[in-house]
Amino acid sequence: MKNNTFISIFVAITVFLTATAIPVISQSAGNGGDSFFSMSDLRQSLVFDPASTKFSFVALTTVNVTNIEELYSAVNDPQNAGTQIVIAPGLYMLSENNPRNVARPNGGRIDLLENMSLRGVVGDREAVVIDAINLPPGSYSTPTIDKSGAIRMGRGTNAVEWLTIRNAVNGNGGIETEIAWPGTAYIRIAHIVSTGNLRGIDLRNLGADEAGRVIVAEIVDNDLYGNQRMGLRIANSQQADGGVVSATLSGNRIYNNNNGLVIEAINTSLGRFTVVSSGDRFYQNTIGTAVGGGLRLSSSEVNADGNTTSFEAYGSRFENNNSNGLGIGAAATHHANGTSNNTVKAYLSGCIFGNNAGLDIRATGAESVPESIGSPGTNNHVTLERSPFVTNYIQVFTNSIPDIKGDMNSVTVINR
């Protein structure tokens, strides 16, 4: 029973990224303590360059708010596109209706306008608390999405920094990034607490109308804990075919969630993920981190084929998780032959594993759940490269479950 539970959890969160290079972070100082980062394409340790940034938040016009009505007025005013909303210390309770019982725009969610950013008190991520406990399920519904989040991003360049978002229990996550908008979505989420939500941060492309959408994201110095499903998910989902997510993670603490970091292409094909983790900590979750290629759920009528994922971790820690520290799988499916031609490449440098209740590392080329459904698909491949190689990790590598001749699923491990 325990093994079946683990397999179900792993499949339901299998993660999916791709790239051949490691980004370098560049840093540029903005107003009021902001730091905005960009990524290059060099495979080397993370470095800082104060001269450049893709995130153009320097010298933003600011709008100051001191209470919940001012916050709603500011974020829903089209004249405030391109501004930084600066929130005074306090508790901000989101609600479906205003004090006159008139419905708020967007069901009471906070949907950031084009090039808008949201900032609390620099240096104190708990001084500003945005609480979504009073938002009913209907507040998270949009014309194209059944369940979204309390704070939503994705219009041009958006940032959320230095605040707490909590208790989006009726939504999909505390922060969601699936607002469809022309061009690349540049996302920065830094120095926040996200807790008591279904997911802490959900960095995703969702649905056929977001096929081919590109997200470039920085997830920096956040505390993501006590969320029901995942601290951080990075996903292309429900036929967002060809979606691209490139994410730089640095200095985050992701703990005490059902699962920590999950990267997954769900019922989606031809997607691409590039994720780089530097100095992040994944602990006291069920699975610390799950990295995968293609996942076809039992409810889906479409395969998850041709996804590519690259995951690189430098000095990150996968410790004290209640099951596995790191799970890697190119393909997972609840239907026979539901996933094919997926590729995952993982590179670990100077990472720490220990005291995980299950395995430190589990890698599988392809997996059917349950195994009795037969072949999961063909030509799914995991490559894991490690430097330096540490011999005392508890680890299991499996080409295919079930292992059927001719399926050509594989795990290759390279130790430096």
Side-chain angles (χ1 to χ4, degrees):
M1 183 64 168
K2 182 178 180 181
N3 290 337
N4 291 339
T5 300
F6 160 71
I7 291 172
S8 298
I9 292 171
F10 181 82
V11 169
I13 63 175
T14 302
V15 189
F16 319 44
L17 339 160
T18 185
T20 59
I22 260 207
V24 173
I25 297 181
S26 299
Q27 182 182 40
S28 177
N31 283 350
D34 298 317
S35 297
F36 302 101
F37 294 75
S38 65
M39 292 184 291
S40 76
D41 296 321
L42 301 176
R43 181 166 181 166
Q44 59 186 354
S45 298
L46 297 174
V47 298
F48 294 96
D49 176 6
S52 66
T53 177
K54 286 182 181 179
F55 293 82
S56 54
F57 290 150
V58 176
L60 279 182
T61 300
T62 60
V63 175
N64 295 295
V65 301
T66 62
N67 58 57
I68 187 63
E69 298 308 319
E70 290 179 359
L71 176 59
Y72 273 122
S73 178
V75 298
N76 292 319
D77 184 350
Q79 298 299 312
N80 288 334
T83 65
Q84 184 176 74
I85 310 301
V86 179
I87 310 172
L91 174 61
Y92 294 75
M93 300 295 298
L94 302 185
S95 60
E96 182 180 24
N97 299 319
N98 68 18
R100 299 184 301 278
N101 206 33
V102 175
R104 296 192 188 278
N106 304 313
R109 302 184 313 270
I110 294 177
D111 286 14
L112 297 187
L113 300 175
E114 185 177 9
N115 300 333
M116 174 181 281
S117 65
L118 206 62
R119 195 192 81 199
V121 177
V122 173
D124 187 353
R125 68 194 77 212
E126 297 180 341
V128 171
V129 176
I130 297 176
D131 195 314
I133 192 66
N134 293 328
L135 290 184
S139 289
Y140 296 96
S141 178
T142 80
T144 58
I145 296 171
D146 290 335
K147 185 183 284 189
S148 187
I151 298 175
R152 300 179 71 229
M153 312 168 70
R155 294 185 171 112
T157 301
N158 292 143
V160 174
E161 298 191 271
W162 292 114
L163 55 77
T164 292
I165 175 68
R166 70 187 189 194
N167 294 334
V169 293
N170 293 316
N172 199 62
I175 298 179
E176 295 282 339
T177 66
E178 79 290 277
I179 297 181
W181 195 255
T184 298
Y186 293 97
I187 301 294
R188 176 173 167 81
I189 304 172
H191 321 298
I192 74 158
V193 173
S194 187
T195 184
N197 309 294
L198 197 67
R199 297 173 179 87
I201 298 171
D202 202 15
L203 191 66
R204 67 173 177 172
N205 294 310
L206 176 65
D209 61 334
E210 294 188 9
R213 181 173 179 249
V214 178
I215 297 174
V216 177
E218 301 169 335
I219 311 296
V220 178
D221 182 36
N222 300 296
D223 288 287
L224 311 177
Y225 66 90
N227 296 288
Q228 295 175 24
R229 293 194 180 176
M230 302 134 190
L232 169 62
R233 182 173 71 167
I234 300 172
N236 292 317
S237 184
Q238 309 304 330
Q239 296 182 269
D241 294 345
V244 176
V245 182
S246 180
T248 300
L249 283 55
S250 180
N252 299 286
R253 295 155 299 278
I254 303 179
Y255 62 99
N256 196 29
N257 307 283
N258 185 29
N259 292 292
L261 166 64
V262 172
I263 309 159
E264 55 189 359
I266 312 161
N267 310 327
T268 295
S269 295
L270 304 175
R272 216 168 68 233
F273 296 99
T274 303
V275 177
V276 177
S277 167
S278 174
D280 298 299
R281 295 183 61 202
F282 308 96
Y283 60 100
Q284 295 176 0
N285 307 285
T286 299
I287 297 175
T289 293
V291 178
L295 169 63
R296 181 176 172 184
L297 297 176
S298 59
S299 58
S300 176
E301 300 298 322
V302 299
N303 277 10
D305 297 332
N307 297 286
T308 57
T309 296
S310 172
F311 177 74
E312 303 191 7
Y314 296 83
S316 293
R317 305 177 73 98
F318 308 82
E319 301 175 296
N320 301 301
N321 293 287
N322 298 322
S323 180
N324 294 347
L326 173 63
I328 307 170
T333 179
H334 293 273
H335 292 263
N337 297 300
T339 53
S340 294
N341 303 314
N342 298 287
T343 301
V344 173
K345 294 181 179 181
Y347 177 80
L348 307 177
S349 178
C351 294
I352 303 296
F353 293 81
N355 298 316
N356 296 295
L359 303 171
D360 290 319
I361 302 174
R362 177 186 192 261
T364 304
E367 181 172 3
S368 290
V369 180
E371 184 176 348
S372 60
I373 68 176
S375 172
T378 62
N379 198 36
N380 299 289
H381 302 290
V382 168
T383 301
L384 170 61
E385 183 177 352
R386 300 181 292 187
S387 175
F389 171 54
V390 178
T391 60
N392 62 348
Y393 292 160
I394 302 171
Q395 51 200 0
V396 171
F397 306 126
T398 307
N399 289 329
S400 189
I401 302 173
D403 190 3
I404 296 176
K405 185 176 179 179
D407 280 354
M408 299 179 294
N409 302 310
S410 70
V411 174
T412 300
V413 180
I414 302 170
N415 296 319
R416 302 294 185 188

